[in-house]
């Protein structure tokens, strides 16, 4: 527990804001994004798919806050509805590698020997190739689309979690509580999941926060290149891709969705940074 | 001598990665649904052409023999023909490689020029206003999506202010460097942010070491201690991180070349994926893998120069 000694000699707990302002700011941004993703209809009544021939390429105004695109679709509503898609893709890309990568790291670190050697050699190979090139190569085989994009991100995304968890397990394995659990005759599975995992998972959780930023960015990049989500989807990268040809005349189509993506990404980064600050403070 | 042994050892260690890379590229087209020959030569290929291709690549033989035939064709630098461009993939790659390599080199130089001084400054001014400012800048740099940064730099400095050329590759070397300035900066912003954070933390750690205090006690000047003792040691972990960043910037050329309409390997790969030109996809992925292995080797050599202890292990 972090405390502060006040001028009168009294002791009081530090608030979360004092301990880590970036954590609080990150939490606020992420909470707003989640709210928008869950209740888009509260913010806009416009249909993100409805085109209007009379309102093509209009700049931001009272009626269309973010302007309209070349099909006359309302960009505010597309960006708002896109929040759900981008957040789901970000979470979806992280969730599966988080679980499988962490489990592999747990197994590699706990058993060591041959199992560890095999897992780590496979990991080395994955580390040697550029992330984006591998994702694109996999999308080349599977074909574009949201589902295949997710699969490609799962195949390349697990390795960081494995590395992180493995190195922590190697330390935790030597500790007294694991030794005593062994002496009690508990099974390997029970020791790994009940005793080691809760003590090593925090580093993976911190990494996941920054990983979401990277996953959202990569997914949006692929959609921007036209090999991610289906082109009509109101996903931020896909919206920017649609506005690419009009960048000189209709800047709002490219500028606004990207700025929203940047702010949400910044929120997750601050959340991750704040979490790791707190953890470091607690261990020292 | 030890250094030479070390380099040879690193080259030998790369061979398995190279073999697995070739295997992956080989497997790439075989995972495709449907007939491999049709996938590579396109739907419009005539039956006799398809049959000749199957014969040449041994597609009727066992998968093991197919792999041997594939490796043999690699040794001859025969990567097949592009259905989209109607030319050998090897020729196509050779003409595109220059743009991508120069772009990545410039981006790397910018990353170092931005990242090292700012990271060092942030570290020696720990928790002061300078440090806070640089750290917020770096955190923002990490969160900005690269493709959007590229578009914004082009819109602001290329289209509105006209400070930099966005006309692409150009004719002379000066044109090349001018045309690649904004694309390289786009990639460098993210990478420099990563480097800043890392250098800062290393500098903070190294400054607390006894040998730094000792160097000061010997009466060495601040600059000398800063460069020879603090920065050199703080850079060792950064060298690994930089090599990871270079590899990822190489991958990033896929996006940046698309934004700035540069005819490099990244744009080639994306175009090939969209038009299902699989011989080019295979060739480009393999070329990327080779460049990555070369970068890894260079990093290892740089490593042993920075820290002679490593070569002795």
């Amino acid at each position: 527990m972090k405390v502060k000694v006040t001028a009168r000699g009294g002791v009081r707990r530090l608030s979360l804001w004092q301990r880590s302002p970036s954590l609080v700011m990150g939490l606020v941004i992420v909470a707003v994004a989640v709210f928008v993703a869950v209740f888009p209809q509260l913010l806009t009544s416009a249909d993100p798919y409805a085109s209007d021939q009379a309102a093509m390429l209009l700049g931001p105004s009272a009626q269309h806050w973010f302007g309209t695109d070349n099909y006359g679709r309302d960009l505010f509503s597309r960006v708002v509805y896109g929040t759900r898609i981008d957040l789901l893709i970000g979470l979806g890309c992280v969730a599966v590698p988080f679980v499988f990568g962490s489990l592999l790291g747990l197994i590699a670190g706990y058993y060591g020997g041959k199992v560890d050697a095999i897992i780590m050699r496979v990991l080395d190979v994955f580390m040697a190739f550029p992330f984006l090139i591998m994702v694109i190569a996999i999308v080349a085989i599977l074909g574009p689309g949201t589902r295949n994009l997710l699969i490609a991100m799962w195949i390349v995304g697990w390795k960081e979690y494995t590395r992180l968890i493995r190195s922590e397990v190697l330390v935790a394995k030597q500790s007294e509580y694991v030794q005593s659990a062994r002496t009690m005759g508990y099974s390997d599975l029970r020791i790994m999941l009940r005793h080691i995992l809760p003590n090593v998972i925090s580093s993976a959780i911190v990494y996941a926060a920054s990983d979401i930023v990277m996953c959202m960015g990569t997914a949006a990049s692929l959609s921007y290149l036209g090999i991610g989500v289906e082109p009509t989807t109101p996903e931020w990268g896909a919206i920017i891709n649609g506005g690419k040809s009009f960048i000189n005349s209709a800047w709002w189509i490219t500028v606004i969705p990207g700025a929203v993506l940047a702010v949400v990404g910044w929120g997750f980064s601050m959340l991750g940074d704040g979490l790791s600050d707190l953890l470091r403070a607690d261990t020292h | 001598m030890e250094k030479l042994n070390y380099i040879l050892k690193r080259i030998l260690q790369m061979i398995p990665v190279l073999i697995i890379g070739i295997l992956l590229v080989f497997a790439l087209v075989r995972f495709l649904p449907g007939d491999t020959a049709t996938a590579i030569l396109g739907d419009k290929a005539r039956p006799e052409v398809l049959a000749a291709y199957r014969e040449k690549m041994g597609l009727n033989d066992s998968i093991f023999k197919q792999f041997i035939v594939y490796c043999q064709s690699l040794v001859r630098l025969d990567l097949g023909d592009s259905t989209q461009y109607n030319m050998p993939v090897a020729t196509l790659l050779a003409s595109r490689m220059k743009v991508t390599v120069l772009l990545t080199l410039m981006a790397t130089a910018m990353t170092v020029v931005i990242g090292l001084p700012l990271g060092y400054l942030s570290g020696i001014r720990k928790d002061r206003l300078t440090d806070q400012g640089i750290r917020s800048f770096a955190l923002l740099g990490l969160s900005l999506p690269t493709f959007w940064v590229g578009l914004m730099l082009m819109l602001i400095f290329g289209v509105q202010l006209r400070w930099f050329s966005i006309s692409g590759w150009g004719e002379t070397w000066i044109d090349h460097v001018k045309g690649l300035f904004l694309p390289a900066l786009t990639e460098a912003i993210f990478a420099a942010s990563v480097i800043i954070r890392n250098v800062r933390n290393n500098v903070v750690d190294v400054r607390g070491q006894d040998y730094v205090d000792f160097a000061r006690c010997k009466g060495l000047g601040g600059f000398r201690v800063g460069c020879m003792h603090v920065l050199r040691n703080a850079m060792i972990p950064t060298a690994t991180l930089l090599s990871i960043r270079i590899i990822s910037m190489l991958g990033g050329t896929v996006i940046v070349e698309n934004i700035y309409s540069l005819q490099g390997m990244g744009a080639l790969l994306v175009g090939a994926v969209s038009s299902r030109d699989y011989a080019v996809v295979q060739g480009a992925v393999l070329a990327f893998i080779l460049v990555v292995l070369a970068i890894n080797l260079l990093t290892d050599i740089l490593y042993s120069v920075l820290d002679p202890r490593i070569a002795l292990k």
Side-chain angles (χ1 to χ4, degrees):
Chain A
M1 189 64 60
K2 291 285 163 256
V3 292
K4 183 182 177 184
V5 182
T6 58
R8 285 184 198 151
V11 171
R12 71 184 171 87
R13 267 188 71 193
L14 286 179
S15 70
L16 199 57
W17 171 257
Q18 284 164 316
R19 291 178 64 189
S20 173
S22 77
L23 179 70
V24 177
M25 279 168 69
L27 272 176
V28 170
I29 294 176
V30 171
V32 170
V34 170
F35 179 80
V36 173
V38 178
F39 304 109
Q41 67 278 11
L42 290 183
L43 288 142
T44 172
S45 54
D47 177 355
Y49 290 97
S51 55
D52 179 1
Q53 299 286 328
M56 291 193 304
L57 296 173
L58 295 180
S61 64
Q63 201 189 351
H64 301 287
W65 290 359
F66 291 177
T68 62
D69 67 6
N70 53 317
Y71 295 105
R73 293 177 295 202
D74 179 53
L75 277 173
F76 181 69
S77 102
R78 284 183 78 71
V79 170
V80 164
Y81 277 90
T83 312
R84 179 182 291 178
I85 295 166
D86 278 79
L87 279 191
L88 277 180
I89 290 179
L91 290 176
C93 287
V94 169
V96 174
F98 176 81
V99 173
F100 281 93
S102 302
L103 282 179
L104 274 178
L106 198 58
I107 292 168
Y110 186 78
Y111 288 108
K114 269 195 191 128
V115 183
D116 181 37
I118 293 171
I119 293 177
M120 292 317 283
R121 287 299 81 74
V122 175
L123 190 141
D124 282 345
V125 172
F126 273 78
M127 293 294 286
F129 303 139
F131 178 80
L132 204 55
I133 301 294
M134 282 195 75
V135 173
I136 290 178
I138 297 167
V139 170
I141 300 170
L142 301 174
T146 313
R147 186 189 55 130
N148 294 342
L149 176 71
L150 281 172
I151 295 175
M153 301 284 281
W154 293 341
I155 295 177
V156 295
W158 56 278
K159 52 192 193 296
E160 307 295 343
Y161 297 98
T162 305
R163 274 194 346 161
L164 276 172
I165 294 288
R166 174 182 172 273
S167 63
E168 299 243 346
V169 171
L170 287 179
V171 179
K173 205 163 70 163
Q174 310 296 333
S175 60
E176 279 172 15
Y177 66 85
V178 175
Q179 305 290 340
S180 22
R182 280 227 184 86
T183 324
M184 297 280 283
Y186 289 155
S187 70
D188 286 348
L189 195 67
R190 178 164 178 169
I191 297 175
M192 279 197 280
L193 295 181
R194 294 284 298 277
H195 298 261
I196 298 182
L197 191 63
N199 285 293
V200 298
I201 199 71
S202 56
S203 62
I205 293 174
V206 170
Y207 179 75
S210 60
D211 198 22
I212 287 182
V213 183
M214 214 201 51
C215 284
M216 284 176 42
T218 309
S221 309
L222 288 188
S223 303
Y224 165 76
L225 292 172
I227 50 179
V229 302
E230 293 73 12
T232 52
T233 316
E235 190 274 341
W236 298 334
I239 298 174
I240 296 173
N241 183 27
K244 195 161 51 167
S245 330
F246 309 99
I247 189 161
N248 291 326
S249 53
W251 54 267
W252 52 89
I253 311 176
T254 38
V255 174
I256 296 173
V260 173
L261 176 58
V263 171
V264 174
W266 193 42
F268 276 107
S269 297
M270 284 197 290
L271 184 67
D273 255 31
L275 279 177
S276 82
D277 282 349
L278 282 195
L279 285 170
R280 213 176 298 145
D282 281 347
T283 46
H284 283 305
Chain B
M1 198 57 219
E2 267 139 3
K3 203 159 269 180
L4 195 68
N5 267 338
Y6 169 76
I7 293 170
L8 276 176
K9 207 170 85 187
R10 302 304 296 177
I11 293 177
L12 284 179
Q13 282 172 348
M14 277 177 185
I15 292 173
V17 179
L18 182 63
I19 292 174
I20 294 173
I22 294 174
L23 254 173
L24 285 179
V25 173
F26 167 78
L28 197 101
V29 290
R30 277 147 188 95
F31 277 129
L32 290 170
D35 178 48
T36 308
T38 318
I40 292 179
L41 297 178
D43 299 332
K44 294 181 197 79
R46 280 169 305 164
E48 56 270 29
V49 179
L50 290 175
Y53 183 79
R54 280 192 202 103
E55 189 61 35
K56 181 185 153 211
M57 297 305 285
L59 289 182
N60 302 320
D61 297 324
S62 70
I63 195 92
F64 180 71
K65 201 163 169 210
Q66 286 182 36
F67 184 62
I68 301 293
V69 172
Y70 181 69
C71 289
Q72 283 168 343
S73 64
L74 284 185
V75 173
R76 290 194 308 269
L77 286 180
D78 175 9
L79 299 168
D81 293 306
S82 158
T83 50
Q84 199 185 355
Y85 297 93
N86 279 319
M87 62 195 293
V89 174
T91 321
L92 195 58
L93 284 174
S95 69
R96 299 295 192 98
M97 186 76 101
K98 216 164 55 178
V99 180
T100 305
V101 169
L102 186 61
L103 173 59
T104 311
L105 282 178
M106 279 180 65
T108 307
M110 285 185 191
T111 305
V112 174
V113 169
I114 302 171
L116 276 189
L118 286 184
Y120 180 71
L121 195 66
S122 191
I124 57 171
R125 294 256 180 274
K126 183 173 178 281
D127 291 334
R128 300 218 213 135
L129 198 64
T130 325
D131 179 35
Q132 304 280 5
I134 294 174
R135 284 173 71 191
S136 321
F137 167 78
L139 196 65
L140 188 67
L142 283 186
S143 321
L144 295 175
T146 304
F147 70 103
W148 185 70
V149 172
L151 284 169
M152 292 305 106
L153 289 178
M154 182 168 82
L155 188 64
I156 298 167
F157 297 108
V159 179
Q160 297 294 330
L161 299 173
R162 295 183 185 281
W163 286 0
F164 297 97
S165 139
I166 45 167
S167 53
W169 182 240
E171 299 294 323
T172 62
W173 276 97
I174 297 174
D175 283 352
H176 297 343
V177 171
K178 274 187 187 163
L180 291 181
F181 188 86
L182 285 181
L185 184 64
T186 303
E187 297 220 73
I189 287 179
F190 182 89
S193 306
V194 179
I195 297 296
I196 287 173
R197 285 158 63 95
N198 183 265
V199 171
R200 176 202 178 265
N201 292 341
N202 296 339
V203 167
V204 169
D205 289 345
V206 170
R207 270 166 60 91
Q209 300 285 328
D210 290 343
Y211 59 78
V212 175
D213 291 336
F214 182 66
R216 282 230 181 74
C217 294
K218 281 197 301 188
L220 294 180
F223 184 75
R224 181 106 195 257
V225 175
C227 288
M228 291 303 291
H229 295 80
V230 178
L231 200 55
R232 185 171 176 182
N233 284 292
M235 265 170 63
I236 293 166
T238 310
T240 322
L241 194 69
L242 183 65
S243 85
I244 297 175
R245 277 349 308 168
I246 297 173
I247 292 169
S248 113
M249 286 197 284
L250 193 69
T253 58
V254 165
I255 297 166
V256 176
E257 286 175 0
N258 179 290
I259 295 170
Y260 289 92
S261 315
L262 294 165
Q263 300 295 310
M265 288 206 318
L268 183 69
L269 177 61
V270 176
V273 171
S274 307
S275 58
R276 307 189 156 266
D277 192 350
Y278 288 108
V280 175
V281 174
Q282 277 187 305
V285 171
L286 194 64
F288 272 113
I289 292 175
L290 287 178
V291 179
V292 166
L293 288 180
I295 294 171
N296 280 335
L297 183 65
L298 284 177
T299 322
D300 284 338
I301 295 172
L302 175 70
Y303 231 177
S304 64
V305 174
L306 273 178
D307 187 356
R309 286 168 298 187
I310 287 171
L312 300 175
K313 273 180 202 158

